[in-house]
Amino acid sequence: MTVVAPLFRTAGRFVSPGGAKGKLTILTYHRVPPDIDPLLSSDQVDARKFASHMAVIAECFNVLSLPEALERLERGTLPSRALSITFDDGYRDNYTMALPILQRHGLVATFFVCSGYLNDGLMFNDVIIESLRACQSPQLDLSWLGLGLQPVHDMVSKRECAEKILTSVKYMPFLERERACTRLWETAAPGKERPLLMMTDDQIRQLAAQGMTIGGHTHTHPILNRIDLASARQDIVHNRDLLADLIGHKPLIFAYPNGRPVRDYGHEHVQLLMELGYQAAVSTAWGVATRSCDHYQLPRFSPWDNNPKRLVLQLLRNALTGQDPLTAKSAG
Ligand SMILES: [Zn+2]
């Protein structure tokens, strides 16, 4: 990679210029498991892939903290090939696996933390995956979810079953989904302890103390469009205040849960964040942030390629074509 890095840097100056026409690539990561996990999706980024991403990115891009990048985007003083790194949800492997890799390259990142699962909680998607991992029966009766009898005798069938359950519970109301997850655990992994996958309070404090940015991501990870505005406000405020207690100041940047504009959040949530003192927010719409972007609906990008050259090409293509990201518009 070192040989072609100067070529990529030159191309990057044209595709992702600095100054008034500056473009900011914001990367999204979630879990960074120590090894490839057969039960996670095929585009997962394990520690080895993450390390190869960071090596290339440190060589070819100018990595800035998200607060600094947004300030410079606003002022028109971004460097060329500007890039920020973000993680959603608050997974413990972000601290144990990703942080040492970031630090090895002198990089900083923003961690959007869902406060309701810190320490010993599990998000619903992980309850599903981990219950199937722990399951020792060859099949599961999921008629109560409308899925009938599901084979779960190996990793492939467990993966397929997890996908089906995720699809059927993802948009359920919160309490109904919690009940479904509890029932699933009792059915698939009776008596088994849930694994510890989320960061501890102290790990959040440590991240902040080591120069990383902590951002809001709600308390219970609701799809905001699926709950009423008062409940959304309560969940966002609770998250903001708990994080403020941990890091000593209110978080200033937010990531919408699930994050798809229009489908997962609306313009009323953009206004809510402004009212609550947030200065910017990121969605999961793919694209590149420019000066004309809505700062409360900044697009991001999730790289997946393992090959360094293809990874840089993916990032440059996104910077070239991703200039009109999807956003939720105000009605009036
Ligand atoms: Zn999330």
Side-chain angles (χ1 to χ4, degrees), residues 78-92:
L78 266 188
S80 63
R81 298 171 286 119
L83 183 145
S84 292
I85 300 159
T86 70
F87 295 81
D88 283 9
D89 301 330
Y91 283 104
R92 193 168 293 199

Side-chain angles (χ1 to χ4, degrees), residues 17-24 64 68-80 82 289-292 295:
K21 292 189 172 167
K23 289 183 188 176
L24 173 65
L64 303 171
E68 182 189 349
L70 295 179
E71 198 192 318
R72 291 178 66 173
L73 179 66
E74 178 92 28
R75 284 194 278 125
T77 61
L78 266 188
S80 63
T290 61
R291 232 173 155 185
S292 60
H295 268 39

Side-chain angles (χ1 to χ4, degrees), residues 139-143 146-152 161 164:
Q139 57 183 20
L140 270 181
D141 183 359
L142 299 175
S143 323
L147 296 173
L149 215 51
Q150 290 290 323
V152 286
C161 181
K164 288 179 191 164

Side-chain angles (χ1 to χ4, degrees), residues 237-266:
V237 167
H238 194 34
N239 172 247
R240 181 196 66 183
D241 294 348
L242 285 173
L243 292 181
D245 280 347
L246 286 178
I247 61 175
H249 60 86
K250 285 180 183 166
L252 296 174
I253 311 177
F254 181 87
Y256 300 97
N258 238 42
R260 187 79 183 153
V262 185
R263 185 190 67 189
D264 297 331
Y265 70 88

Side-chain angles (χ1 to χ4, degrees), residues 268-320:
E268 63 274 31
H269 305 110
V270 171
Q271 285 172 319
L272 186 56
L273 293 180
M274 287 180 190
E275 265 176 54
L276 295 176
Y278 274 105
Q279 294 179 355
V282 293
S283 71
T284 56
W286 277 21
V288 67
T290 61
R291 232 173 155 185
S292 60
C293 272
D294 181 343
H295 268 39
Y296 287 84
Q297 302 191 70
L298 296 161
R300 292 188 286 174
F301 187 69
S302 295
W304 63 89
D305 216 297
N306 217 2
N307 175 295
K309 290 175 200 160
R310 284 203 304 264
L311 172 73
V312 177
L313 288 173
Q314 267 180 7
L315 293 172
L316 294 184
R317 192 187 315 129
N318 176 61
L320 192 64

Side-chain angles (χ1 to χ4, degrees), residues 30 88-89 112 114 123 217 221 255-258:
H30 288 88
D88 283 9
D89 301 330
F112 294 108
C114 191
M123 300 200 3
H217 194 44
H221 210 273
Y256 300 97
N258 238 42

